[in-house]
Amino acid sequence: MKPFEVRSPAEQASQHLRQEILAGSWSEYLPGEAALAAELGVGRDTISGAVKILAKQGLVISQGAGKRRRVKAPSKKPAPSWQVEILCFESTDRHLDYILDVFYGLIARGHQVKFSPKSLQEMKMDPNRVARHVKRSNAGAWVVVAGSNEVLRWFSQHDIPAIALYGRIESLKIAAVGVKITPVYRSIVKRLAKLGHERIVKLSRYETRFPNPSLIERALLEELHAQGLPVSDYNLPVWDGSFNDFHRCLDSLFQISPPTAVIFNQPDLFLAGQAHLSQRGVIAPRDVSLISMGELPVFAWHDPPISHAQFDTSPIVKTILGWMDKISIGQADTRQVSIPAVLIEGGTIGAAPKG
C-alpha cells in the first residue's frame, strides 16, 4: 500500500501554484494574494503560507512591501531530469518542513521525486535490505536521512549518487550535510556540571551506540570525563526506536538512580518524553533538566521555554539542491558540509535536584 501523506492546506495550494508557474500561466508577476485566495477558494492565510513555500523554492521573488511578487521563469535549458528518492530514517521525517523544502525544490528543478515506501527504521537499518530496495527502485540519485555507517558505506561503495542528510559518515567518501552539534553537547555538559548535575544521560538508538559510539556520543562521554563526572553505560541508555521501548527506557531510568538531566536528540522525542515523565509527576526543571537537540515551531508556545539546540535549516536545503544540480550535469560532488548550531538555554534546564 502506498504511504498516506497528509499535507497542509498551504502545501496543497503551493503545489497547485507551482504547477501553474511551471506551465507558464504567469510570465512575469504572481497575482495578489486576495485574487489567488478567491481563485482557489481558500483563505488569505493559506495563500500566504503557500507563497512563502514558493519563495523558499526560488519560484517567486519578493519586490518589497505592497508589491506583487515576481515569478522566476524556469530555465529554457533545464538540466536533465532525474529520478530522485528520499530514504527517510523514520516515516514521520517526510513531514519535516526542511525535508519538504528539499522535496519540492527538486521538483521545481524538473526532477521526479518520491519518498521511499519504507523508512530505514522499518528496514531495521539493514544494509542488505536497503541494497535490495535500491536495486528494485528506478531512482538514479538518493537522499539518505540519518543512515547508519553500514548503510552509508554501502552507498559509498557503489556507483550510485547519494547524499547523506545527517547520519554516521565517519571515514566515508560520500556527499553529506549535517549539523555541527558536538560543540553544543559539550556546552550542555559544562553548563549542567556548573549547576551541580552528576547523572546526565542521552537516550541513544542502537545504530548510534554500536559497534562503537558515534562522534556525538563520544563527545558527550569525553566532556563528562573532563568535568570529573562518572562515565559508564548509564550515560547512554539504548532503546530500539519503538514507542513501547522509548517509554520502557525512560521508566527504567527513574526506578533506582534517576538522572538529573536527560538529553533527547530529536525535538519530537523531547515532547514525548516530557509528556511521559510529567504524567508520572516528574517535572522539568524541578525534578530533572530536559534538553532537545533540535527545534520545532511549537517550542515558541511552550512555558517554560524549552532548552534546545538551534540551527538554520536553509543551508541544508541549499546544499542538497546544489549537490543535485551538479549530479544532474555529470559533476561528481562528495563534499561534506556542517551547519553550526547554538544552545538556547531556555527554562527546562535548572539546578540539579537535591537527593
Side-chain angles (χ1 to χ4, degrees):
M1 180 181 292
K2 184 178 179 181
F4 179 67
E5 295 183 26
V6 179
R7 294 179 183 171
S8 69
E11 290 167 351
Q12 295 177 54
S14 72
Q15 185 176 20
H16 174 81
L17 295 176
R18 182 184 308 104
Q19 292 170 348
E20 293 296 316
I21 290 172
L22 297 177
S25 297
W26 303 297
S27 59
E28 191 170 0
Y29 293 101
L30 193 69
E33 291 185 2
L36 290 172
E39 181 179 338
L40 273 63
V42 298
R44 286 284 296 273
D45 288 346
T46 296
I47 291 298
S48 179
V51 172
K52 287 179 181 177
I53 292 173
L54 295 176
K56 282 186 177 181
Q57 296 165 359
L59 288 176
V60 297
I61 302 171
S62 175
Q63 301 297 300
K67 296 182 179 180
R68 289 194 297 166
R69 294 170 177 83
R70 183 181 294 276
V71 172
K72 185 176 180 181
S75 172
K76 294 181 180 180
K77 294 182 179 180
S81 174
W82 280 59
Q83 299 268 0
V84 184
E85 189 160 330
I86 301 176
L87 177 55
C88 292
F89 174 74
E90 52 192 2
S91 59
T92 54
D93 290 342
R94 66 183 61 192
H95 302 301
L96 295 173
D97 287 347
Y98 61 97
I99 290 183
L100 286 171
D101 288 342
V102 169
F103 182 90
Y104 291 121
L106 290 170
I107 290 176
R109 280 164 158 77
H111 303 298
Q112 299 178 52
V113 191
K114 65 179 180 180
F115 287 105
S116 297
K118 288 188 176 181
S119 68
L120 287 170
Q121 281 289 92
E122 291 168 317
M123 288 190 268
K124 307 298 182 184
M125 202 64 79
D126 182 349
N128 293 321
R129 293 181 65 177
V130 172
R132 289 194 295 270
H133 171 68
V134 172
K135 291 174 182 177
R136 289 194 300 265
S137 174
N138 58 1
W142 294 76
V143 179
V144 184
V145 183
S148 67
N149 189 260
E150 292 80 6
V151 166
L152 295 177
R153 181 180 296 112
W154 184 88
F155 277 98
S156 71
Q157 292 174 343
H158 291 77
D159 189 24
I160 302 172
I163 184 169
L165 171 52
Y166 311 131
R168 298 193 62 173
I169 60 172
E170 299 102 307
S171 304
L172 299 180
K173 189 177 181 180
I174 185 172
V177 60
V179 179
K180 193 174 183 180
I181 202 74
T182 52
V184 179
Y185 273 93
R186 293 184 183 277
S187 296
I188 289 170
V189 173
K190 290 177 182 177
R191 179 60 178 146
L192 291 172
K194 286 183 178 180
L195 290 170
H197 290 264
E198 295 183 356
R199 299 189 299 275
I200 302 170
V201 305
K202 172 193 176 292
L203 270 64
S204 300
R205 290 185 173 175
Y206 183 88
E207 55 273 8
T208 66
R209 282 278 280 107
F210 301 101
N212 48 64
S214 70
L215 291 175
I216 290 172
E217 269 77 4
R218 293 205 298 271
L220 176 70
L221 297 178
E222 289 169 2
E223 194 57 46
L224 287 171
H225 179 74
Q227 296 299 319
L229 301 177
V231 176
S232 69
D233 288 343
Y234 171 85
N235 303 108
L236 297 175
V238 178
W239 65 294
D240 66 9
S242 69
F243 174 88
N244 289 334
D245 203 49
F246 178 73
H247 291 159
R248 176 208 61 78
C249 185
L250 279 176
D251 288 340
S252 66
L253 283 172
F254 284 85
Q255 285 179 354
I256 301 175
S257 299
T260 59
V262 181
I263 302 171
F264 298 90
N265 71 322
Q266 295 175 220
D268 51 346
L269 295 179
F270 173 96
L271 294 175
Q274 184 186 46
H276 182 77
L277 293 174
S278 66
Q279 289 175 356
R280 284 151 179 76
V282 180
I283 306 298
R286 183 192 68 195
D287 307 306
V288 64
S289 288
L290 301 178
I291 305 99
S292 169
M293 299 311 291
E295 182 181 17
L296 289 173
V298 71
F299 280 16
W301 297 86
H302 202 277
D303 184 23
I306 292 173
S307 307
H308 66 278
Q310 184 181 75
F311 51 89
D312 183 6
T313 58
S314 59
I316 292 176
V317 178
K318 183 178 179 180
T319 297
I320 296 175
L321 297 182
W323 170 81
M324 194 63 229
D325 287 344
K326 290 188 175 182
I327 294 300
S328 64
I329 59 174
Q331 293 183 9
D333 184 2
T334 56
R335 290 177 302 152
Q336 297 182 349
V337 178
S338 292
I339 309 303
V342 296
L343 171 64
I344 306 300
E345 184 159 331
T348 55
I349 287 178
K354 297 180 180 180

